Every structure is written in structure tokens, then in C-alpha cells.
Amino acid sequence: MATRYWIVSLPVQSPGATANSLWARLQDSISRHSFDTPLYRFNVPDLRVGTLDSLLALSDDLVKSNVFVEGVSHKIRRQIEELERAGGVESGTLTVDGVPVDTYLTRFVWDEGKYPTMSPLKETVGSIQSQVAKIEDDMKVRAAEYNNVRSQLSAINRKQSGSLAVRDLSNLVKPEDMVTSDHLVTLLAIVPKYSQKDWLSSYESLDTFVVPRSSKKLYEDNEYALYTVTLFAKVVDNFKVHAREKGFQVRDFEYSPEAQESRKEELEKLQQDQEAMRASLLQWCYASYSEVFSSWMHFCAVRVFVESILRYGLPPSFLSAVLAPSAKGEKKVRSILEELCGNVHSIYWKSEDDTGVAGLGGETEAHPYVSFTINFV
């Protein structure tokens, strides 16, 4: 599958020529001079022309609107890729109504039911814009809800896997590690990893009411070690002050099996919610990408139609096609298209460095024929 295509239109100018005869000439030239370039006919219907002034005004809007529609399609595609990675699933082929997107483009058929050809072009463009804008707004809301759950889970995971100075300690402490009575209490001390000898030699002297040999190491990470210490409840505040002066942090902690079980259930529920929301959002994105991509291709058809009339005049008489030349074959394909265009003034459409300048519509590439590039990624 190519990810970069040209959509072009060529004028049917020669006496007695038709779009079909020009198509045959284009096929022949491509097969003889650039046989590795995929070529397809792009079927643009006879749309309602309106007035020249209305087409000129519409042409100015088409470029901006195309950037918007194309941008939304890319946003949804990136969201799909992110959701697939998060779910550990292999990326699937994006489709429009079950058809791969590149096939949908190369076999494009105008949807008369959704966009009647007799409707004013401005109305058709407005319909596409409003539909895509609604999808974008909907995606923002759905993605925000999903990301909120992800953020909650990330915060919990940080507490469970971060440094001992900040992480949740409940899963590191067992009931037998804690002593609680009318007079005694067990505290949890966070000791810098390389200060453990200092802790063991000094904790009993941090206050006169510390139980001797009561400290036990429960856990150690890359920075800190977690120790218990048992002392009389009445000296807890003094002990914390003296410990802090020595560089030891006493964490506030109350062992509660009920609270621990509640946190476990909350984590499991958030994990289930995240996966359910991820799957739901992914399915919505698949369907919405299909809708937006279809809208985008209809938008491209309108652009081809409008730019061709502004370029070649009335009545509409042009051939539109889709090509996917390789990077090294682009120059050859351009020369083929220019030759078939039959415009003796084609040199005036080129910029000095032959890379193109702004044309009709503000973005149409500078050639003697209508041409613009679309990228799927």
C-alpha cells in the first residue's frame, strides 16, 4: 500500500477528444515510460457548478477545509495506533466500509445518497465540514474520559512502584510486622540505602522510650530501605523530629487490611474500566476513521472539480486520475502529465527551482494541470 498519492486532472482539449480517449493515452504513456507507477481513474461526478464568483470564493475555503479534514483523519489514525499498542494488539488494516483505505481511494465512487450532486457545492462542503467537526469533538470527549482513567491508574502504579519515599507501603507490610497496644506503636522509617548502619546503631538512642532491638528491615530499593521501629506512643512526635535531624524519614502509616483490600479492588476496577474504555474507544475510532476518510475523499473530489473548472473553464471537460509514483519516478511522471496536458505555456506554471508555487486555491501545486498530494500518514 502506498501512503502518498497524487490526485490530478488533465484538460480534454483536442478536437474530438474525450475523457476516455485521454485516459487511454495516459495509460499508454505511463505503461511505456513509468510502468512501476500505479495509475487509477478518479471518478468525479458532474457536480453543480453555480457561478464563477461562487467557485472562486469556495476555492479559497477548500484548502483550509482540506487541512482540517485531513488533520482529523490523521488524529484518529494516531489514536488507533496508540490504542492498539496499549492493548498489545497488532495494527490492523484501516478500512472504509470494509474496504482498505487505499482501495477506497483508487476505486472511489461518489455517494449520491449522502451528498446529492445537485446540491450547491458550498452546501456539500459545509455538510462535510460539520460532520467531521462533530466527530472531532466527540473524539476529544471520549479520549479525555479514557485518558482520565489512564492517569488514575498511572498515579496508583507510581505509588506502588516508585521510591520508598513516596510509594504506597501497604503491600510491603504484613500484620506481624506491626505492634499496636495501649502504649506501644510501630513506625515505618525510610532510611537512605547507604545510611543503614547509622540507623541500626542510632535508632534506639533517638528517644528514651524506644524498644531495644525492635527495628527490622522489610524492603530495600535502589535508594532507600524500609525499617520498622517500635516505641511508646507518647514519644512518637519527638522520635520523628530526632529521626528527621539524622536524615531518616518516618512515614505516616496505619495498617488496615480493609483499606488494603479496598485499594486492591479499586485498582482491579480501574484496570477493567481502562480496558473496556480502550476497546470501546478503539471500535469507535475504527468506525469514525472510516467516516472521516470517506468524507475526505469526497472533499478531494470537490477540489478536483472546482480547481479544474477554474483552470480549464466551462463546460467541465477534464480527466481526473490517482497516481502513486515512486520518489525516483516523480520527475518522469510529471513530464508525462505535462505532455498530455498539451499546454504550450506550461513553462510559466513552474517555479524557478521546479518545486512548485502556490496556484489556484492557494495550495494546488504549480503545474499546467490540477495536482495535489494526499498523505495517508
Side-chain angles (χ1 to χ4, degrees):
M1 167 185 164
T3 57
R4 182 171 177 272
Y5 291 87
W6 293 349
I7 297 182
V8 304
S9 82
L10 301 173
V12 179
Q13 293 181 324
S14 303
T18 63
N20 287 336
S21 64
L22 183 56
W23 171 244
R25 290 176 59 199
L26 177 58
Q27 286 180 305
D28 179 64
S29 295
I30 292 293
S31 65
R32 284 190 292 111
H33 303 295
S34 186
F35 62 89
D36 61 339
T37 298
L39 170 67
Y40 312 91
R41 194 153 180 177
F42 189 64
N43 296 304
V44 178
D46 290 328
L47 300 173
R48 184 171 172 178
V49 175
T51 65
L52 183 60
D53 286 344
S54 67
L55 289 182
L56 285 169
L58 186 61
S59 176
D60 291 336
D61 294 335
L62 284 176
V63 175
K64 298 175 186 175
S65 299
N66 181 74
V67 170
F68 167 69
V69 176
E70 180 179 0
V72 174
S73 77
H74 292 334
K75 284 180 187 177
I76 298 176
R77 177 186 50 77
R78 288 193 294 268
Q79 182 71 74
I80 288 173
E81 292 171 352
E82 179 186 324
L83 293 169
E84 288 175 333
R85 282 195 302 270
V89 298
E90 191 172 336
S91 296
T93 301
L94 294 175
T95 62
V96 179
D97 297 330
V99 178
V101 291
D102 55 329
T103 303
Y104 183 84
L105 166 61
T106 56
R107 299 179 185 175
F108 175 75
V109 177
W110 184 272
D111 189 340
E112 174 70 22
K114 186 179 289 187
Y115 307 111
T117 54
M118 291 310 295
S119 296
L121 287 176
K122 186 175 182 180
E123 184 178 303
T124 299
V125 170
S127 175
I128 293 174
Q129 287 174 319
S130 61
Q131 181 183 23
V132 173
K134 184 178 183 303
I135 290 175
E136 184 189 37
D137 290 341
D138 201 2
M139 184 180 73
K140 288 178 181 177
V141 172
R142 292 170 181 266
E145 292 173 348
Y146 170 69
N147 289 328
N148 181 48
V149 173
R150 286 184 65 196
S151 297
Q152 292 180 54
L153 262 179
S154 295
I156 292 175
N157 289 330
R158 281 196 298 273
K159 286 183 179 180
Q160 291 188 333
S161 59
S163 159
L164 283 170
V166 296
R167 69 175 290 177
D168 180 12
L169 303 178
S170 60
N171 60 338
L172 302 178
V173 182
K174 299 181 178 62
E176 57 267 27
D177 297 325
M178 308 299 290
V179 175
T180 304
S181 69
D182 291 341
H183 301 289
L184 295 176
V185 64
T186 298
L187 302 180
L188 297 179
I190 309 302
V191 179
K193 187 174 182 177
Y194 299 106
S195 301
Q196 295 182 70
K197 287 185 178 180
D198 186 22
W199 164 261
L200 292 173
S201 65
S202 65
Y203 77 89
E204 294 178 1
S205 61
L206 291 178
D207 199 278
T208 54
F209 291 95
V210 177
V211 177
R213 296 181 297 282
S214 63
S215 186
K216 180 175 71 171
K217 181 162 73 172
L218 304 183
Y219 184 80
E220 182 179 309
D221 63 18
N222 293 331
E223 299 177 79
Y224 301 99
L226 175 64
Y227 281 88
T228 61
V229 58
T230 302
L231 61 157
F232 279 76
K234 64 181 181 180
V235 298
V236 166
D237 290 340
N238 285 337
F239 182 87
K240 287 183 177 180
V241 171
H242 296 148
R244 186 164 56 248
E245 291 172 351
K246 293 277 291 181
F248 309 130
Q249 176 189 356
V250 177
R251 289 280 305 273
D252 291 327
F253 180 81
E254 182 178 348
Y255 185 79
S256 170
E258 295 80 9
Q260 190 171 352
E261 183 62 28
S262 175
R263 283 192 289 269
K264 181 181 177 182
E265 291 176 356
E266 179 188 9
L267 176 61
E268 291 175 351
K269 184 178 184 303
L270 278 172
Q271 289 172 335
Q272 292 171 357
D273 288 347
Q274 178 185 246
E275 179 54 28
M277 293 179 73
R278 187 198 69 80
S280 174
L281 180 56
L282 183 58
Q283 290 305 311
W284 180 88
C285 284
Y286 282 143
S288 295
Y289 184 85
S290 171
E291 192 70 33
V292 171
F293 191 88
S294 173
S295 298
W296 184 20
M297 294 305 101
H298 282 78
F299 204 95
C300 288
V302 174
R303 285 189 70 190
V304 170
F305 184 78
V306 172
E307 301 297 349
S308 296
I309 291 177
L310 292 176
R311 182 72 66 91
Y312 313 134
L314 290 170
S317 183
F318 60 90
L319 166 71
S320 51
V322 174
L323 305 96
S326 62
K328 65 179 181 180
E330 288 187 5
K331 192 169 184 180
K332 170 57 70 176
V333 174
R334 288 294 185 197
S335 67
I336 291 172
L337 294 172
E338 287 191 15
E339 183 179 348
L340 289 174
C341 190
N343 191 330
V344 295
H345 302 296
S346 63
I347 189 172
Y348 298 118
W349 290 97
K350 298 182 183 178
S351 63
E352 293 181 1
D353 59 2
D354 200 31
T355 58
V357 294
L360 294 170
E363 187 228 25
T364 305
E365 295 160 15
H367 303 285
Y369 50 86
V370 172
S371 173
F372 54 88
T373 303
I374 61 172
N375 295 287
F376 285 1
V377 295

